Amino acid sequence: MPTTLQQAPQTVHALAAQLAEGLIGHERLIERLLIALLAGGHVLIEGAPGLAKTRAVKHLAAAIEGSFARVQCTPDLMPSDVTGTPVFRPKEGLFEFVAGPIFHNIVLMDEINRAPPKVQSVMLEAMAEGQVTVANVTRRLPSPFIVVATQNPIEHEGTFPLPEAQLDRFLLHVALELPDAKTERKILDLVEAETREPEPNQRPMVMATLQDARQAAMRTHLAPELRDYIVRLVTATRRDAPESYSDLTSDIEHPVSPRGSLALASAAKARAFLHGRDHALPEDVMDLAPDALAHRLVLSWRAVADGRKSRELIADLLARVEPL
Ligand SMILES: Nc1ncnc2c1ncn2[C@@H]1O[C@H](COP(=O)(O)OP(=O)(O)OP(=O)(O)O)[C@@H](O)[C@H]1O
Ligand SMILES: [Mg+2]
């Protein structure tokens, strides 16, 4: 094994530590972003305004040697604003494709639920297949290609709720909470200090190192027993689940798809790797199940009316399904 592969966990650890310095109290979010980076998935971040969602993604992009673009989603956003478009060059007498913001390693889609359905369908192809089709020409996106989308939970007029197929394409869904008083004070101190002295320029992680780390992370051992555990969790959301789960399945309109099991498996491997292990444990699966599965469930209207939440349902499931 090349030395870079053996060093991969340390370099990723250093990256996590570097990010934690600029994102107070966001260890969980940082871990999720790094898991997505290692597993090659997309992240949907949900939280009230001002919780440093944009800052987190900007810091992540700055910490790796990747290209970064940001798209502010509005109801009048057009697919070509995201993908780019062929532009006619009269001198040469031909069309030249001018690439849009999607052709970057990390793409921040701010307030994705404000983007109209046509833009969301472009995102579907990009996120699942790593390619976009413009004017009948299919173009590959760079690797890694990671969409970090933010969504504001406060419902405003002019939002388009993400379709299930779109939600299913996010590896993880992270919900952010407001900070406590102590954390809030630390944020104040940090931002205050930054206004006096700009942040020191850290050396970004080179792409080759990141690619090595991704390879090493995905080689993490996932025992057959853990695979069975993941399958038991996911299939317990389906109609043909054992009778003992019928009180849960009756709350579910659309269960978790196989993409959910795959997401949970690769995220668990990446988490194990981040924790310095060469094998995943049940705790990796348990810790990630709500973020990897809850957004893929659609509850029945009755369950929603009763105030049931997908995350609670996954928590119930975790309490009932035996890990081994
Ligand atoms: N946990 C934190 N660590 C460091 N800075 C923070 C933290 N929380 C908030 N801030 C600061 O608060 C401000 C708002 O952050 P940011 O713009 O990233 O929020 P946001 O979640 O993207 O908000 P919006 O939903 O309105 O786009 C920034 O100046 C940021 O530095
Ligand atoms: Mg923002």
Side-chain angles (χ1 to χ4, degrees):
M1 210 171 20
T3 46
T4 46
L5 276 192
Q6 283 160 357
Q7 289 163 351
Q10 286 99 299
T11 49
V12 179
H13 256 138
L15 184 63
Q18 181 189 332
L19 289 171
E21 275 173 31
L23 296 159
I24 312 292
H26 274 330
E27 289 76 12
R28 202 177 166 80
L29 171 64
I30 293 167
E31 188 188 79
R32 271 34 185 174
L33 288 171
L34 292 180
I35 287 172
L37 198 63
L38 292 170
H42 312 288
V43 182
L44 180 61
I45 309 178
E46 192 158 328
L51 289 180
K53 299 185 291 295
T54 303
R55 180 180 168 108
V57 183
K58 276 192 174 166
H59 277 226
L60 176 68
I64 62 168
E65 202 188 35
S67 64
F68 166 69
R70 173 187 170 161
V71 180
Q72 183 65 48
C73 298
T74 52
D76 59 356
L77 192 71
M78 311 237 280
S80 58
D81 295 333
V82 177
T83 58
T85 186
V87 174
F88 187 64
R89 303 275 183 226
K91 262 193 199 156
E92 291 85 19
L94 42 80
F95 281 92
E96 189 195 351
F97 181 71
V98 178
I102 203 160
F103 289 89
H104 286 87
N105 295 119
I106 298 189
V107 180
L108 171 60
M109 297 285 290
D110 244 332
E111 301 189 86
I112 193 169
N113 52 339
R114 284 180 182 276
K118 273 194 179 166
V119 171
Q120 296 196 358
S121 81
V122 164
M123 294 310 293
L124 282 184
E125 184 189 3
M127 290 166 71
E129 290 161 54
Q131 64 180 38
V132 286
T133 307
V134 186
N136 290 329
V137 181
T138 299
R139 293 168 205 274
R140 294 236 35 99
L141 295 169
S143 169
F145 168 67
I146 294 170
V147 174
V148 182
T150 72
Q151 174 166 271
N152 213 309
I154 306 159
E155 285 306 328
H156 289 288
E157 242 177 83
T159 56
F160 302 87
L162 297 184
E164 289 145 47
Q166 174 90 64
L167 284 170
D168 208 18
R169 275 158 178 75
F170 285 100
L171 181 77
L172 298 172
H173 171 244
V174 187
L176 297 182
E177 302 288 338
L178 285 166
D180 58 19
K182 233 171 104 189
T183 313
E184 185 100 21
R185 175 60 201 277
K186 281 195 201 151
I187 296 171
L188 204 62
D189 291 346
L190 176 76
V191 178
E192 176 75 6
E194 278 173 5
T195 54
R196 284 169 221 282
E197 234 171 287
E199 298 160 73
N201 262 343
Q202 307 254 17
R203 270 233 328 269
M205 185 188 224
V206 287
M207 263 306 158
T209 312
L210 176 61
Q211 300 288 17
D212 284 347
R214 297 178 82 184
Q215 263 187 32
M218 289 304 103
R219 270 195 224 124
T220 303
H221 183 63
L222 187 68
E225 294 79 6
L226 270 185
R227 294 173 201 218
D228 285 340
Y229 178 40
I230 291 172
V231 170
R232 278 202 303 280
L233 281 172
V234 167
T235 52
T237 67
R238 305 206 181 136
R239 238 174 259 296
D240 54 0
E243 187 56 36
S244 53
Y245 297 117
S246 62
D247 59 317
L248 295 181
T249 46
S250 65
D251 281 346
I252 299 171
E253 182 80 35
H254 290 293
V256 176
S257 79
R259 214 184 255 128
S261 333
L262 297 172
L264 189 49
S266 56
K269 288 200 283 183
R271 186 181 185 274
F273 177 81
L274 277 176
H275 287 249
R277 280 182 266 114
D278 62 359
H279 58 281
L281 292 174
E283 64 165 73
D284 296 313
V285 175
M286 288 174 193
D287 181 67
L288 285 161
D291 287 359
L293 302 182
H295 62 290
R296 299 169 205 271
L297 277 182
V298 179
L299 299 184
S300 69
W301 63 267
R302 187 189 291 275
V304 173
D306 288 346
R308 199 92 162 98
K309 300 267 183 291
S310 309
R311 278 181 183 266
E312 290 168 11
L313 200 143
I314 298 294
D316 286 352
L317 215 59
L318 283 170
R320 285 206 224 167
V321 179
E322 289 292 329
L324 293 172

